[in-house]
Amino acid sequence: MYWPIGAPRIYAASNHGPSTDRAKERKAKETRAESDDAAEHAEETGVLLEKTSNGRETGGRDRKGEETPLDGDGLEEREHEVTANGSSQEELRSKPGGDQAGTPLPSTDEAAIVALRVSRNGHIFATITATALSIWQSRPTAILATVVRSPTSLGTYGPNVSLLIRPDSAIFVVQSSLGYLITYSLAADPSARVYRPRFPDGGSGHARRHSVGGARGLTGDGVERTLWGPGEGGGVREVSVRFRMVIRVDAGIVKALALDDELVVATQKPAAVQCIRWTPDSAGKQTSTELLSRMSWLPKRASLVDMVHDRPMSLSTWVTSDGRAYAVQRLSATGQEADAQKKLFRGFCFHTPAADDSHAVKAAINARFSLIALACADGSVHVYTARDYVGNIPLTLRLRLGVSSATSGSITFLTYSPDGYCLFAGFERGWAMWSVFGKAGASSFNGGQDVAARGDDEGWLRGVREGSWLAGGAEMLLVGGRDERLWVLEMARSAVTGCFSAANIARSLLQTNSGFMIYRGYGLSDLTSISADASLWSHVQIPNGYLVDQWPLKAAVISPDGRYVAVAGRRGLAHYSVNSGRWKTFVDDKMEDEFTIRGGLCWHRHILIAAVESGEDFELRLYSREAALDQALVLHVEPMSSPVVHLTASGEDSLLAYTYENILYHFVVAATAESVSLVLVGQIAFHGIVRAPARVRAVTWVLPDAQLQDGDPSRDVAVASVLFLVDGKLVLLQPSVTEGGELKYDMRVVAQSVEYYVLMRDQAAFVDGSGPEASMLENGEGDEVKDGTSHRGLQDSLWIFDGSDMRVWMDVQDVIRSASAELARDIPPSIQVALDFYPLSALLDKGIVLGVDSELVQRRDVNFAHFRLAIRSHLFLPRVFRHHLSHYDQPAALHLTHHYQHLRYFPHALEVLLHDVLDDEVDRPASSENPLLPTVLSFLSSFPEYLDILVQCTRKTEVRSWRTLFAHLPPPQELFEESLQKGMLKTAGGYLLILHTFEELGSSSQQLVRLLGRAKEERDWELCKELARFLMALDESGATLRKALELVELRSPAAERQQGSLIFDGAEPDEPREGEVAVRENGIREARPGEVGNGTGARRDYFSSAAD
């Protein structure tokens, strides 16, 4: 999951607009060139598409129009000399029409950004206004070139309305309002740079010294790399933008897509789809067209309103005007039958609206999880799972905002993060985020009305027109409505998204744009670890010496003991010691650039194991944290025949590597005093079982206990049950032997819509053998409980998060046994722990699920809003206890409590258990059999806090629930007496309220006096105050209170006050003794003779907290 952090960075291509305060602070200049893409340079089409009258080819020929410069203010405080065609300012000014000193400044509407597109690699993105095309570089964020269209071009073709980028970033296509596609070509010199940063004071002795081993301090030209930002090592490149051609589409353009080989255009009249190749094919053909009316799988008179395409899945989604959605594939043009029938596409309808508000309007494809998201007219999002290419696309979930559609407005765009774990939706009046399977995340609507009151400065919160991910998901680029600014919002994400590791889940590691965050509450006290204090997160910055060239961050992994963290960027790696705070990076740039991480990282004690790709070779490399990062000091290199998909440590010394060959390799880490190496002891081929190895997100296995303790490691592959996480499905493969003695696997889907899972026996290695956590994951034999079976707490539990709830199986062996083909039983039901935040991990020793949430902070002393992370926690113990009790396994529940009774909030967990069961029992029909409440009460009676739990529960429930509760309990009078006998005076006071509710007021008078007397003897003045308040609530005249005080000989009321009492009738007051305090009718104390302030001879006020 993703969480926005901090405030966004703001960029603007112009300082001419309504919100220019920030833009005016940047006094840089840029040169912009106008491109007069005149009609004589256009390639026009007749009807749909045709060549010009002179018949010239339009393939890839560059066309250059007349260009004139326009001076203006730009981005950053650096001079920008590059132009749209790579010429200098002087050259442009010398051309005809080059003197544009009197050119009027653009208006607000002209400066507003209309569309945004990001290239496939994320290094370049482009924006358009009504009159100009700007090409940006993501890092350093700067405009490389701007093409401003001339008035002639605007009058001929119309203003800009949409933008396309060919995936290789070589061609940019601007769609105009009059149905033209204006194309530009982009060329770049890899070695040429427009400018480079200069830091005159870079050598100052005041610069912070970074604790980095092996970091390169200076570049060849003497510039300090530590002063550069992430990804800025390449500088600002020089590019050349040239006008290419204009394509006229007479039929009107509805939507267009720029693919690798062709441009796909949906037209309006007639409704058709054209495919325009970037270059002609071998037969010289460049265009092909298919009318929608000729597509048998579309209804008659259908027209398109939106199209999206996903290259990894080779799948498109079309949204039609009737609100339907179709999964579409492009048919191969090589077949003679396809050419004869002129069929270009094949599609299947998977969304049919039931009402107008469920009409689809936007679509997004998630190739990582095989999902298709549809935005509907009512602001909701429907998510479908694409199981195959023949129309088997069922509805998976529906996502809704917490506000009405009138508040949010319509959805403007949908986009999945590059790793597929997050869905971002832009609305007319805000934006919202969800995890891949529907857990609501950050939202601009959480700010309420304060956001609108801040005006234009917070336009990124009040509505967005376009948005796209940058830096592999580390940043979100947003464009507001009618605004010339770009907002770049930084994201924090779980390290599981980049490297699926049990350690990353257990240690709650988060990675950011330039660092990572570690949760430090594991070793703290119970109450401190569950607090929302932001200091529990340790923020670590990755050295700039590494990020300058290797940004963005691809993966991060923490060691099981939490001592080390390794990170990997574009190439190379670096690692960090949590205890010493020292980084280690490669000494030589060439060593760092020689390989890239592919397949993941993991730690084995202080040894970092990395799956790398180096040229055409694939290897597993072992690096020691104690040695420098140097290729000559690599401990071991294990060649692999294919790339690694997933790498994970298992048990004490095992390593599992799953490759693209669909083979799972089992290594053992063999360590001696002189060396460490990997020994291959077995492998499993899953051919015919796992269809797409690249879709596997995680692999682990479960070994029988006998094999774990005394088995030969080479036999592990024959007896292990393998868990695969494929897309969103958790699949169990259980081994069995055929009659011929061959090994086969029975496959069973354990759960759907799984965002992540963790097998707690894999976390046994995380424990150092001491403390309560060690007792939770002990490897020894457990106690015998029901049916003589061995119970080991939560050691073998399996936890998954399905986008809504945390689900738990107490024993993974039960899941494995039920998956056996011989038994063919259903998967046992799981325990569901409902959460209102995104969970990061389950802290077994604390009994809680830990997570985070994003909070939108708006303060009055600053003029901007920002996001921050808030720690959230939830007790899972009540659900686990209830699971055991509902299965009539009270001994197992009692055994589990032995691990948690030391927690200060353990009584609260029991109270939550009782509260939840009581609420369910109240709503159950009276004739229901086997009520759970008596079993829970019997379970609670085993604890000394039993009486307190009952009272606390009644205080937090409605009175109507008390009857249901006490129908299974002794009378409140007996519980009151038991509390008095045990000296639990405050608890006894709670039962007084119950007696007062169940019985007449007079029948509880004796108990009240007894309790008041005991409180006086115990000198519990706080309780006395509470009882006094209770009596005053019964009788506002104060007579009842005076009578009670008299009976316990605390004080006597004034002789002149002889009013009758509601519950103490007939009592005669005595004269006050010397030194006592009287109480006036209004309740304010007054001194009696003999009282001397706070002197030793005076008696203190027994209602005061300062009493002895």
Side-chain angles (χ1 to χ4, degrees):
M1 184 52 182
Y2 285 60
W3 300 271
I5 54 176
R9 304 191 308 275
I10 304 176
Y11 301 93
S14 171
N15 65 348
H16 310 296
S19 50
T20 60
D21 292 341
R22 293 189 180 95
K24 286 182 178 179
E25 295 175 1
R26 304 177 178 93
K27 298 299 183 181
K29 291 185 177 181
E30 65 173 332
T31 302
R32 297 187 291 182
E34 289 193 0
S35 174
D36 183 5
D37 9 87
E40 61 267 23
H41 298 301
E43 297 292 345
E44 301 179 352
T45 62
V47 184
L48 295 180
L49 179 71
E50 64 180 17
K51 297 179 182 179
T52 57
S53 57
N54 59 13
R56 289 181 294 180
E57 294 294 330
T58 62
R61 187 173 301 167
D62 288 343
R63 303 279 182 147
K64 180 177 177 182
E66 182 179 349
E67 299 165 335
T68 55
L70 175 66
D71 289 340
D73 289 337
L75 185 72
E76 305 294 341
E77 295 183 1
R78 299 157 184 168
E79 189 165 344
H80 194 176
E81 296 292 339
V82 71
T83 64
N85 69 342
S87 303
S88 66
Q89 282 186 338
E90 290 73 18
E91 291 174 340
L92 283 176
R93 293 186 185 278
S94 64
K95 294 182 180 180
D99 186 8
Q100 298 291 330
T103 302
L105 296 177
S107 65
T108 301
D109 290 339
E110 291 178 348
I113 295 176
V114 176
L116 163 73
R117 292 293 181 272
V118 179
S119 64
R120 178 185 294 169
N121 58 23
H123 296 163
I124 289 177
F125 64 91
T127 60
I128 60 170
T129 64
T131 61
L133 163 67
S134 297
I135 299 175
W136 300 65
Q137 179 174 293
S138 58
R139 285 297 177 96
T141 306
I143 294 179
L144 301 179
T146 297
V147 179
V148 181
R149 294 176 55 197
S150 66
T152 303
S153 175
L154 294 173
T156 304
Y157 308 127
N160 303 332
V161 295
S162 187
L163 175 65
L164 301 173
I165 302 180
R166 199 169 76 173
D168 61 0
S169 307
I171 297 179
F172 293 75
V173 182
V174 176
Q175 177 186 338
S176 69
S177 61
L178 298 182
Y180 291 87
L181 297 175
I182 308 171
T183 62
Y184 301 90
S185 62
L186 176 71
D189 184 352
S191 60
R193 295 294 181 267
V194 178
Y195 60 80
R196 64 184 62 186
R198 295 192 317 172
F199 304 96
D201 299 328
S204 171
H206 298 286
R208 177 180 296 179
R209 295 180 177 271
H210 295 267
S211 180
V212 181
R216 284 82 64 196
L218 299 176
T219 59
D221 55 2
V223 178
E224 290 193 18
R225 298 170 59 91
T226 55
L227 296 178
W228 294 7
E232 296 182 356
V236 177
R237 294 177 293 174
E238 182 177 1
V239 300
S240 173
V241 179
R242 294 180 180 270
F243 167 73
R244 191 167 181 265
M245 64 179 175
V246 175
I247 303 174
R248 187 184 70 191
V249 183
D250 290 338
I253 303 173
V254 177
K255 185 72 176 181
L257 295 175
L259 307 183
D260 290 308
D261 300 324
E262 61 188 7
L263 186 66
V264 181
V265 181
T267 60
Q268 188 173 6
K269 292 181 181 181
V273 177
Q274 290 188 54
C275 298
I276 308 170
R277 294 183 58 85
W278 299 111
T279 57
D281 57 15
S282 58
K285 188 177 181 181
Q286 192 169 0
T287 65
S288 55
T289 305
E290 183 176 4
L291 296 173
L292 297 187
S293 59
R294 302 287 181 86
M295 300 179 186
S296 59
W297 44 274
L298 281 176
K300 300 298 181 181
R301 298 182 179 179
S303 61
L304 297 182
V305 297
D306 191 35
M307 294 190 305
V308 295
H309 179 76
D310 185 77
R311 179 173 173 265
M313 290 186 68
S314 186
L315 184 72
S316 297
T317 299
W318 293 2
V319 178
T320 57
S321 56
D322 57 0
R324 301 189 182 197
Y326 298 81
V328 182
Q329 275 194 299
R330 179 77 156 88
L331 297 178
S332 173
T334 57
Q336 295 181 358
E337 182 179 354
D339 290 339
Q341 298 180 359
K342 296 183 179 179
K343 299 296 184 183
L344 301 179
F345 301 95
R346 178 185 63 181
F348 301 91
C349 180
F350 63 90
H351 174 79
T352 302
D356 291 343
D357 58 359
S358 59
H359 278 213
V361 293
K362 297 288 182 181
I365 300 176
N366 186 341
R368 192 72 176 87
F369 291 85
S370 301
L371 300 176
I372 302 176
L374 294 179
C376 296
D378 62 351
S380 64
V381 179
H382 294 197
V383 181
Y384 293 81
T385 300
R387 295 180 177 174
D388 52 40
Y389 291 96
V390 294
N392 186 13
I393 307 177
L395 178 65
T396 301
L397 67 150
R398 292 183 176 90
L399 308 177
R400 292 187 180 275
L401 282 176
V403 297
S404 65
S405 58
T407 302
S408 64
S410 302
I411 294 182
T412 55
F413 72 92
L414 281 178
T415 179
Y416 276 102
S417 60
D419 54 32
Y421 277 89
C422 179
L423 175 64
F424 193 102
F427 292 82
E428 291 178 334
R429 301 183 184 92
W431 50 264
M433 300 170 62
W434 290 274
S435 69
V436 58
F437 289 115
K439 176 59 71 174
S443 171
S444 66
F445 301 104
N446 297 335
Q449 300 297 326
D450 293 339
V451 174
R454 290 181 175 265
D456 292 336
D457 287 342
E458 302 298 339
W460 63 287
L461 294 173
R462 295 186 295 107
V464 289
R465 173 183 291 183
E466 293 274 1
S468 187
W469 296 92
L470 289 177
E475 297 175 340
M476 187 69 194
L477 184 61
L478 297 174
V479 175
R482 299 188 63 182
D483 202 312
E484 78 281 4
R485 293 171 296 177
L486 295 172
W487 286 274
V488 181
L489 185 59
E490 183 178 353
M491 296 286 174
R493 50 183 166 164
S494 171
V496 176
T497 60
C499 184
F500 199 108
S501 166
N504 282 349
I505 299 174
R507 296 290 174 181
S508 303
L509 181 67
L510 302 181
Q511 69 183 62
T512 61
N513 186 34
S514 58
F516 55 84
M517 302 165 61
I518 304 175
Y519 176 70
R520 302 187 303 176
Y522 294 98
L524 302 180
S525 62
D526 306 333
L527 296 181
T528 305
S529 61
I530 64 174
S531 69
D533 189 358
S535 63
L536 292 179
W537 288 103
S538 176
H539 298 254
V540 180
Q541 180 76 20
I542 299 175
N544 277 349
Y546 180 76
L547 285 181
V548 159
D549 296 319
Q550 310 305 345
W551 181 87
L553 188 64
K554 290 169 50 179
V557 65
I558 191 170
S559 62
D561 56 11
R563 297 175 60 189
Y564 309 115
V565 178
V567 297
R570 189 174 56 88
R571 304 194 69 82
L573 58 86
H575 48 73
Y576 173 78
S577 172
V578 176
N579 294 335
S580 67
R582 183 174 177 81
W583 280 94
K584 286 189 178 180
T585 60
F586 277 93
V587 177
D588 189 358
D589 291 352
K590 295 181 180 179
M591 295 182 183
E592 187 174 84
D593 294 333
E594 181 264 339
F595 69 93
T596 183
I597 298 297
R598 185 173 183 182
L601 304 154
C602 66
W603 287 92
H604 175 74
R605 299 179 184 174
H606 68 284
I607 305 299
L608 176 62
I609 306 174
V612 306
E613 177 183 359
S614 177
E616 297 182 356
D617 299 328
F618 308 99
E619 302 169 339
L620 297 180
R621 297 182 181 178
L622 274 62
Y623 298 91
S624 173
R625 169 62 197 178
E626 299 175 354
L629 275 178
D630 193 309
Q631 298 294 62
L633 300 178
V634 176
L635 299 179
H636 177 77
V637 176
E638 182 72 23
M640 304 294 290
S641 57
S642 65
V644 175
V645 177
H646 181 70
L647 185 70
T648 183
S650 178
E652 295 182 358
D653 56 359
S654 293
L655 178 71
L656 302 178
Y658 179 71
T659 67
Y660 277 86
E661 292 179 327
N662 213 354
I663 298 177
L664 179 65
Y665 293 92
H666 177 211
F667 297 92
V668 172
V669 182
T672 64
E674 293 80 15
S675 64
V676 179
S677 61
L678 295 178
V679 179
L680 180 64
V681 294
Q683 64 185 51
I684 309 173
F686 294 105
H687 304 300
I689 301 175
V690 180
R691 293 185 298 176
R695 309 197 70 83
V696 173
R697 296 165 50 209
V699 183
T700 189
W701 67 16
V702 181
L703 296 174
D705 292 339
Q707 180 68 19
L708 274 175
Q709 297 174 5
D710 305 317
D712 183 0
S714 63
R715 290 285 303 161
D716 288 353
V717 295
V719 297
S721 298
V722 185
L723 281 171
F724 276 91
L725 185 57
V726 185
D727 292 340
K729 294 184 294 186
L730 185 61
V731 180
L732 175 65
L733 301 179
Q734 189 173 13
S736 60
V737 180
T738 63
E739 296 179 356
E742 298 180 354
L743 186 66
K744 70 171 186 176
Y745 284 89
D746 300 320
M747 185 173 68
R748 189 76 175 271
V749 177
V750 177
Q752 301 275 2
S753 302
V754 179
E755 298 199 13
Y756 68 84
Y757 77 95
V758 59
L759 190 61
M760 287 303 172
R761 66 162 48 192
D762 288 342
Q763 295 190 9
F766 299 179
V767 184
D768 59 6
S770 62
E773 188 177 2
S775 66
M776 282 300 308
L777 296 172
E778 57 188 356
N779 292 323
E781 293 297 326
D783 300 334
E784 280 200 358
V785 292
K786 183 182 176 181
D787 299 331
T789 60
S790 177
H791 178 80
R792 289 180 291 181
L794 297 173
Q795 174 192 345
D796 279 337
S797 60
L798 173 65
W799 297 66
I800 70 167
F801 179 62
D802 62 2
S804 176
D805 303 327
M806 204 77 169
R807 297 172 56 188
V808 187
W809 283 272
M810 293 294 296
D811 193 344
V812 71
Q813 298 294 343
D814 294 339
V815 179
I816 294 175
R817 285 189 291 267
S818 65
S820 173
E822 299 176 356
L823 298 178
R825 297 186 306 182
D826 293 335
I827 298 294
S830 61
I831 305 171
Q832 292 189 338
V833 181
L835 303 169
D836 61 352
F837 58 88
Y838 194 91
L840 294 177
S841 64
L843 279 60
L844 292 189
D845 61 325
K846 309 291 185 182
I848 61 173
V849 176
L850 178 73
V852 295
D853 206 354
S854 282
E855 293 182 348
L856 180 59
V857 180
Q858 300 179 86
R859 298 175 52 176
R860 295 182 178 180
D861 56 346
V862 293
N863 60 356
F864 61 90
H866 67 278
F867 280 94
R868 68 181 179 189
L869 292 182
I871 299 176
R872 302 287 303 278
S873 60
H874 182 85
L875 279 168
F876 66 75
L877 294 178
R879 302 300 302 178
V880 176
F881 294 152
R882 181 169 182 169
H883 172 78
H884 284 306
L885 297 176
S886 62
H887 289 78
Y888 307 103
D889 196 358
Q890 186 169 338
L894 289 173
H895 174 82
L896 191 61
T897 60
H898 296 162
H899 302 289
Y900 295 103
Q901 284 186 276
H902 67 282
L903 299 175
R904 296 181 60 182
Y905 46 81
F906 177 73
H908 176 69
L910 299 179
E911 179 190 334
V912 173
L913 168 65
L914 177 59
H915 190 280
D916 292 344
V917 174
L918 179 59
D919 285 347
D920 293 342
E921 291 291 331
V922 171
D923 297 332
R924 283 169 53 125
S927 58
S928 300
E929 299 180 356
N930 303 323
L932 183 59
L933 184 58
T935 304
V936 172
L937 292 173
S938 175
F939 169 71
L940 296 179
S941 64
S942 304
F943 303 98
E945 303 90 352
Y946 170 61
L947 296 173
D948 277 329
I949 293 171
L950 295 178
V951 169
Q952 294 296 330
C953 183
T954 57
R955 294 180 58 185
K956 301 173 185 178
T957 56
E958 299 179 357
V959 176
R960 70 184 185 95
S961 303
W962 295 7
R963 300 288 181 184
T964 304
L965 175 62
F966 281 92
H968 306 283
L969 288 173
Q973 177 65 38
E974 294 185 14
L975 298 176
F976 174 81
E977 296 292 343
E978 185 177 355
S979 300
L980 279 181
Q981 292 177 3
K982 294 183 177 181
M984 305 167 63
L985 302 185
K986 292 185 179 180
T987 303
Y991 287 109
L992 276 180
L993 180 60
I994 300 173
L995 287 171
H996 169 63
T997 304
F998 283 172
E999 302 174 358
E1000 294 295 331
L1001 181 61
S1003 60
S1004 59
S1005 60
Q1006 183 180 0
Q1007 289 85 347
L1008 191 149
V1009 174
R1010 291 175 56 198
L1011 180 59
L1012 188 59
R1014 286 287 302 273
K1016 170 195 169 184
E1017 295 174 2
E1018 299 290 339
R1019 307 182 72 80
D1020 189 348
W1021 309 121
E1022 289 295 329
L1023 179 57
C1024 289
K1025 287 196 293 185
E1026 294 296 330
L1027 294 175
R1029 292 192 187 100
F1030 178 69
L1031 291 175
M1032 287 298 297
L1034 297 178
D1035 180 11
E1036 296 182 357
S1037 67
T1040 301
L1041 174 59
R1042 287 192 294 270
K1043 293 291 186 180
L1045 296 177
E1046 177 189 351
L1047 292 176
V1048 297
E1049 297 182 349
L1050 274 175
R1051 66 173 63 183
S1052 296
E1056 62 273 13
R1057 302 297 185 186
Q1058 296 294 335
Q1059 298 181 5
S1061 170
L1062 294 176
I1063 59 176
F1064 304 113
D1065 293 333
E1068 294 295 334
D1070 297 331
E1071 291 295 329
R1073 295 187 295 271
E1074 183 178 0
E1076 288 190 340
V1077 179
V1079 179
R1080 296 202 300 261
E1081 187 176 1
N1082 60 7
I1084 302 177
R1085 62 185 295 272
E1086 62 180 1
R1088 301 297 297 173
E1091 181 182 12
V1092 186
N1094 290 332
T1096 56
R1099 189 173 173 184
R1100 292 183 181 178
D1101 180 12
Y1102 39 76
F1103 289 138
S1104 172
S1105 58
D1108 294 334

